[in-house]
Amino acid sequence: MVAIGVRSMGRIGLAGLALWLLGPTASGPAEVPLVATEAAQLGLSLEVSTGAFATSNTNFGAGSNGEAGHRWWEAYLKPGLAGSAALPGGGSLYGGWSGIWSSHGGDGAPGDSEAEGEYLAQEDLYAGWRSGTLFPGLGEDFFDLSFGQQRFQLGDGFLIWDGTSDGGDHANFWLGPRKAFRRAAVARLNGKPWRGDLFWLESHTDTTELAGLNLEYAHDALGTLGAAFLHAATAESPTRHGLRVYDLRGHGTPFAAWGLTRLTLRFEGVIERNDEAGGDLRAQAYYGELAYELPLLWTPVLSYRYSHFSGDDPATTSSEDFDPLFYGFGRGWGTWYQGEIVGEYLLFNQNENVHMVHLKATPAESLTLGVLYFNFRLDEPPAGVSAQDFADEVNLYADWQATDWLLLSGAAGIAVPDTVARQIYGDDQNFRLVEIIATVNF
């Protein structure tokens, strides 16, 4: 039997994608303006999301939390205030606040520690300053400094996206509305073609304190190239405490000079090193992705991606198990929760090699349809496992912007176990999931 239900997109939801596009400290026009003058703006917003979820043959038939299949629901409300005020000498101050009430019930998500409950918490509380035209030679708002409980992302979310864990007594394992870091100080330098970020982040997860530098170069024709260095000064995990991270990434159309204007390249490579006592780490991860927009009806886009996340080699004294840090739902379906089943429940961007093929089309401006195929292999098989082939997964999805304020999405997924999954879970059933999510922004 195929279970049916309602689910969000990759633990953070489509609402999270919309908020990211607006920016973590956006103070532009809100849905309900309370103050709107040349000198000051203040707006009130409300985000509402709800869903119901179900799985069958959970964990390939082995079940989870004593259940062979799961049916549960989740919902949250997120009111917010955001505003800005011009300063007499130039520049502006801005800030924002938001809170989240979340609730869930039913069987609970597979692997989650609590089936039912509700939670109330502050999400954002930040203040900042933008330079405006104080430095005309550098461009408008070249300096942007912000402090407080806020969001921050690096690139498309391969490493840094989500500063707060959801699920358990925080509720909303799938909708995952909380993404702000507990404390953050960010200095953005918004130049052209160069821009950069200096940042310090403290996560809600593992109480990690992370400092970093990010530099990006944007070329109008070719795309963007970025590099970052991160250092975890404090963390509960021995391999994360003292961790150094080196990151190189890019995206754009570097083949346009040869007439391939429809071909897009994305890549990112990460090296992690830790020499602290008890935390010796030598790990790496990378991906490469090619996408081609076909000159056909509905503007279909076909893409292929290979991603690698190192696993621990038992033959060495150090750890090679990649630390995925705070990844999240960066560009939509398949990033960086790879697979609506395997990437959400079973493998978490550690010790895996993944092939992905993605085809999406846009039958109407408000409707996007897509299909994703994933092949999962372990990088290093765990003790007692004699192979690397884990599973294959297929997802079908649809996104419909029904109105200016209502977004509906749905997906169906099936994961077929291979040798490793059958050995680990002791069963060989196909893990199934169907899901729909509704998000309203007022």
Side-chain angles (χ1 to χ4, degrees):
M1 180 183 72
V2 178
I4 60 174
V6 183
R7 196 204 67 115
S8 81
M9 295 186 59
R11 284 187 72 180
I12 67 168
L14 282 168
L17 176 61
L19 289 174
W20 173 69
L21 293 173
L22 290 172
T25 56
S27 58
E31 294 296 330
V32 181
L34 303 178
V35 177
T37 68
E38 290 187 5
Q41 298 83 40
L42 178 65
L44 172 68
S45 63
L46 177 63
E47 181 181 310
V48 183
S49 190
T50 186
F53 313 85
T55 66
S56 64
N57 297 330
T58 303
N59 290 344
F60 305 109
S64 174
N65 303 341
E67 301 286 345
H70 292 249
R71 287 171 175 78
W72 74 101
W73 59 266
E74 300 179 3
Y76 72 84
L77 302 176
K78 182 181 179 181
L81 288 168
S84 64
L87 295 173
S92 64
L93 297 176
Y94 66 89
W97 169 89
S98 70
I100 293 178
W101 172 85
S102 56
S103 181
H104 65 173
D107 300 326
D112 196 12
S113 59
E114 287 200 13
E116 297 185 352
E118 59 184 53
Y119 189 71
L120 178 65
Q122 178 177 277
E123 169 68 354
D124 299 294
L125 182 61
Y126 60 84
W129 170 79
R130 295 189 180 104
S131 60
T133 56
L134 283 174
F135 307 95
L138 299 176
E140 186 173 1
D141 290 332
F142 179 81
F143 293 104
D144 184 339
L145 311 178
S146 60
F147 308 88
Q149 193 165 312
Q150 61 179 313
R151 293 193 57 194
F152 180 78
Q153 77 267 353
L154 194 62
D156 70 352
F158 189 71
L159 282 177
I160 305 294
W161 173 277
D162 191 344
T164 307
S165 62
D166 292 276
D169 59 2
H170 290 182
N172 281 210
F173 177 85
W174 279 96
L175 293 180
R178 295 173 181 84
K179 292 168 282 293
F181 285 86
R182 181 188 309 221
R183 282 188 286 269
V186 183
R188 296 177 175 88
L189 308 178
N190 299 311
K192 293 182 179 180
W194 290 94
R195 69 164 309 279
D197 305 287
L198 288 168
F199 53 91
W200 176 86
L201 311 170
E202 180 184 349
S203 74
H204 287 271
T205 307
D206 191 33
T207 59
T208 299
E209 294 184 17
L210 188 74
L213 167 66
N214 174 53
L215 291 175
E216 297 177 358
Y217 176 80
H219 189 280
D220 290 339
L222 300 180
T224 300
L225 184 66
F229 171 75
L230 294 79
H231 179 251
T234 302
E236 294 177 5
S237 168
T239 55
R240 183 175 291 183
H241 181 82
L243 179 68
R244 306 185 309 279
V245 182
Y246 308 88
D247 174 81
L248 180 67
R249 64 192 182 279
H251 70 272
T253 55
F255 312 106
W258 293 277
L260 299 174
T261 57
R262 296 176 178 267
L263 185 61
T264 301
L265 169 69
R266 289 182 177 270
F267 70 88
E268 189 156 1
V270 180
I271 295 174
E272 295 182 336
R273 294 290 184 267
N274 194 340
D275 301 319
E276 297 284 332
D280 188 15
L281 180 70
R282 301 287 184 272
Q284 67 278 330
Y286 57 83
Y287 82 90
E289 181 176 339
L290 286 171
Y292 186 73
E293 182 182 292
L294 301 167
L296 301 173
L297 181 67
W298 295 1
T299 321
V301 177
L302 179 64
S303 59
Y304 166 79
R305 182 179 74 213
Y306 176 76
S307 57
H308 162 76
F309 304 87
S310 63
D312 186 37
D313 182 355
T316 69
T317 57
S318 61
S319 173
E320 291 79 26
D321 205 8
F322 181 73
D323 185 341
L325 292 176
F326 310 112
Y327 70 94
F329 184 76
R331 289 182 280 117
W333 298 92
T335 57
W336 275 105
Y337 296 95
Q338 301 194 84
E340 294 302 290
I341 296 173
V342 174
E344 296 286 354
Y345 293 125
L346 307 175
L347 301 180
F348 308 103
N349 294 358
Q350 290 178 295
N351 189 26
E352 62 177 324
N353 300 311
V354 186
H355 296 273
M356 183 202 77
V357 179
H358 184 190
L359 177 64
K360 68 177 180 179
T362 309
E365 185 177 354
S366 61
L367 179 63
T368 299
L369 305 175
V371 57
L372 287 149
Y373 164 75
F374 298 92
N375 171 259
F376 298 93
R377 287 173 54 87
L378 298 189
D379 186 51
E380 292 284 348
V385 175
S386 59
Q388 291 176 282
D389 295 314
F390 185 84
D392 295 280
E393 180 174 343
V394 175
N395 300 155
L396 302 174
Y397 70 86
D399 297 326
W400 179 35
Q401 188 73 53
T403 69
D404 289 341
W405 48 268
L406 175 61
L407 180 62
L408 299 174
S409 294
I414 182 171
V416 180
D418 213 320
T419 304
V420 175
R422 290 195 294 266
Q423 289 186 14
I424 291 176
Y425 295 100
D427 215 324
D428 61 356
Q429 303 300 306
N430 294 336
F431 192 162
R432 295 186 175 95
L433 169 74
V434 177
E435 54 204 30
I436 300 170
I437 179 75
T439 300
V440 174
N441 283 283
F442 297 102

